């Protein structure tokens, strides 16, 4: 048996592929365009693994995807591939429309053609799992209940609008064509192999480099943090037992203000790798201009996934963030590989000198 994973050289897709191959005997065909966010170093341990087939390419390339589907006959396609960074979507939304909207559309069409031609039994067993985000629901006030699956879609950034569009396409391909789809909407992930444009790895690396720790606005925006391995276990569970056409919210019940997240990282670094001058890392915290249209609060109600499929996260924020900080301390070679020239260009574009 085989599964096809898209975006499997990125942060979550990479963790998913590594965990899948460690626990299953199925082959993974990994289709990734290797944008700035795709990193084969993440998959280095799979170099000699015959059950990992890496293919560089675009989910929107119909001919390539059609050929891969016919050649490998996967029983499922899991779509992680996306442009994923909100700040980049503000600077340049075009790539987000290309991959998240048009790419998902083309992928759905390729998969539909393949699925339609399958024998009846394989058609029934086939799944298309679309990995999406809580950001499609917009923003919450402090007193609002967390996002449930029936919340209205109210995306506020070019990124979240493009993901919302992709979710709608996936839903429509089920409703209209009967494609056997599943969608997951997850909160903020953190953990190993996270590209350091995102808050948690950026803060760890800047702290160690003696650089400012940039806090947008007042730092009181709230995110609901989930350790990436828990997201991967949720996806495996939904793939295994999710009801066709359903969406499942995935979250860690870990709401934290950004400033508190950054302070937790600083405290861990003070313990694990104290500064040479004895000063606390928190002294590097710097307030910078807020993100335009910055969503104030995200929080996920993950009770449906727990009630119907028995999933719950294994990590608390305290256990997950400790593992994460330790991972970055132990994996400086991976870090050096991603902090390339193009990454440095992004930092100066976003944060100035
Ligand atoms: P990422 O940016 O780290 O990785 C994305 C991967 O997709 C990269 O390897 C990139 O090369 C690849 N890719 C981009 N465009 C492609 C294309 N056109 N064809 C093939 N491959 C392409 O993203 P991530 O953080 O790992 O997120 C993965 C998925 O999970 C995304 O769909 C994202 O919206 C969703 N998600 C992310 C989070 C989070 O906190 N990071 C939370 C919820 C949902
Ligand atoms: O909620 C799920 C989403 O989480 C995913 O769909 C996205 O792909 C993922 O990137 C993430 O989006 P966020 O915008 O929440 O993540 P980011 O790490 O960019 O920012 C987290 C919070 O920290 C957010 O409120 C902005 C703030 N921030 C971020 C950076 C990079 C700062 O204060 N300073 C920074 O330098």
């Amino acid at each position: 048996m085989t599964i096809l994973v898209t975006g499997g050289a990125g942060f979550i897709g990479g963790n998913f592929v590594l965990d899948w191959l460690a626990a299953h005997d199925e082959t993974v065909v990994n289709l990734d365009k290797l944008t700035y966010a795709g990193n084969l170093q993440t998959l280095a341990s799979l170099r000699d693994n015959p059950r990992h087939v890496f293919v560089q390419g675009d989910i929107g390339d119909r001919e390539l995807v059609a050929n891969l589907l016919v050649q490998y006959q996967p029983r499922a396609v899991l779509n992680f591939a996306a442009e994923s960074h909100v700040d980049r979507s503000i600077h340049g939304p075009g790539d987000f429309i290309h991959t998240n909207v048009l790419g998902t559309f083309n992928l759905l069409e390729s998969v539909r053609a393949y699925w339609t031609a399958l024998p009846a039994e394989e058609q029934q067993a086939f799944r298309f799992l679309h990995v999406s985000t809580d950001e499609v629901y917009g923003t919450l006030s402090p007193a609002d209940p967390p996002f449930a699956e029936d919340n209205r879609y109210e995306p506020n950034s070019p990124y979240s609008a493009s993901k919302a569009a992709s979710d709608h396409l996936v839903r429509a391909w089920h409703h209209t064509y009967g494609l056997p789809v599943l969608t997951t909407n997850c909160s903020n992930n953190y953990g190993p192999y996270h590209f350091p444009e995102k808050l948690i790895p950026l803060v760890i690396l800047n702290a160690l480099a003696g650089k400012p720790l940039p806090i947008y606005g007042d730092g009181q925006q709230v995110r609901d943090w989930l350790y990436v391995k828990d997201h991967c276990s949720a996806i495996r569970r939904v793939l295994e037992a999710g009801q066709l056409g359903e969406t499942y919210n995935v979250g860690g019940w870990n709401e934290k203000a950004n400033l508190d997240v950054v302070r937790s990282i600083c405290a861990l670094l003070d313990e694990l790798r104290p500064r040479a001058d004895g000063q606390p890392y928190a002294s590097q915290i710097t307030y910078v201009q807020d993100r335009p249209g910055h969503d104030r609060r995200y929080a996920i109600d993950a009770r449906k996934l727990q009630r119907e499929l028995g999933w719950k996260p294994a990590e608390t924020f305290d256990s997950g963030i400790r593992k994460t900080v330790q991972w970055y301390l132990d994996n400086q070679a991976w870090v050096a590989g991603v902090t390339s020239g193009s990454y440095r260009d992004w930092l100066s574009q976003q944060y100035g000198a």
Side-chain angles (χ1 to χ4, degrees), residues 88 340-351:
R88 286 189 194 251
S340 64
S342 66
Y343 175 65
R344 285 196 293 275
D345 292 346
W346 163 252
L347 289 185
S348 61
Q349 185 187 351
Q350 174 70 359
Y351 301 99

Side-chain angles (χ1 to χ4, degrees), residues 52 61-62 93 112 120 159 176 192 249 265 271 285 309 334 353:
H52 180 239
D61 182 340
R62 286 219 203 162
R112 181 165 75 93
Y159 163 69
T176 303
N249 283 358
I265 295 168
E271 176 196 326
I285 289 175
L309 303 185
W334 183 89

Side-chain angles (χ1 to χ4, degrees), residues 137-302:
Y137 299 121
T139 186
L140 294 168
S141 298
D144 287 336
F147 299 127
E149 286 79 0
D150 57 2
N151 265 68
R152 265 177 66 175
Y153 270 39
E154 291 182 335
N156 290 320
S157 72
Y159 163 69
S160 55
S162 68
K163 289 297 291 187
S166 70
D167 292 8
H168 291 322
L169 292 172
V170 170
R171 177 189 159 89
W173 261 240
H174 173 69
H175 192 78
T176 303
Y177 304 113
L179 193 70
V181 307
L182 299 156
T183 299
T184 53
N185 293 88
C186 189
S187 60
N188 285 64
N189 285 215
Y190 67 101
Y193 307 110
H194 203 180
F195 192 77
E197 65 188 351
K198 309 281 169 61
L199 179 71
I200 286 182
L202 180 90
V203 163
I204 297 171
L205 299 192
N206 276 17
L208 292 170
K211 292 185 186 163
L213 311 180
I215 304 282
Y216 295 166
D218 63 3
Q220 292 308 314
Q221 304 82 5
V222 170
R223 298 291 183 266
D224 180 352
W225 294 95
L226 181 70
Y227 192 62
V228 63
K229 305 272 178 202
D230 281 328
H231 187 187
C232 294
S233 76
I235 290 169
R236 291 196 298 273
R237 185 67 191 134
V238 171
L239 179 66
E240 187 178 31
Q243 291 294 310
L244 293 188
E246 289 292 308
T247 67
Y248 295 90
N249 283 358
V250 188
W253 304 102
N254 281 313
E255 284 187 62
K256 302 264 174 220
N258 292 338
L259 195 53
D260 294 333
V261 169
V262 173
R263 286 197 176 123
S264 306
I265 295 168
C266 290
L268 278 165
L269 287 172
D270 289 339
E271 176 196 326
L272 298 169
R273 184 68 57 87
R275 267 175 47 163
D277 62 3
Q279 293 300 304
Y281 284 99
S283 62
Q284 292 167 230
I285 289 175
T286 310
Y287 292 87
V288 301
Q289 198 179 2
D290 208 352
R291 172 186 279 175
H294 199 169
D295 285 338
R296 197 68 184 165
R297 174 178 166 235
Y298 304 142
I300 278 281
D301 177 345

Side-chain angles (χ1 to χ4, degrees), residues 10-12 32-33 35 38 58-59 80 84 99 132 159 163 189:
F11 164 47
I12 304 172
D32 195 297
K33 189 176 176 180
T35 67
D58 194 315
I59 55 168
F80 293 84
S84 70
T99 286
S132 192
Y159 163 69
K163 289 297 291 187
N189 285 215

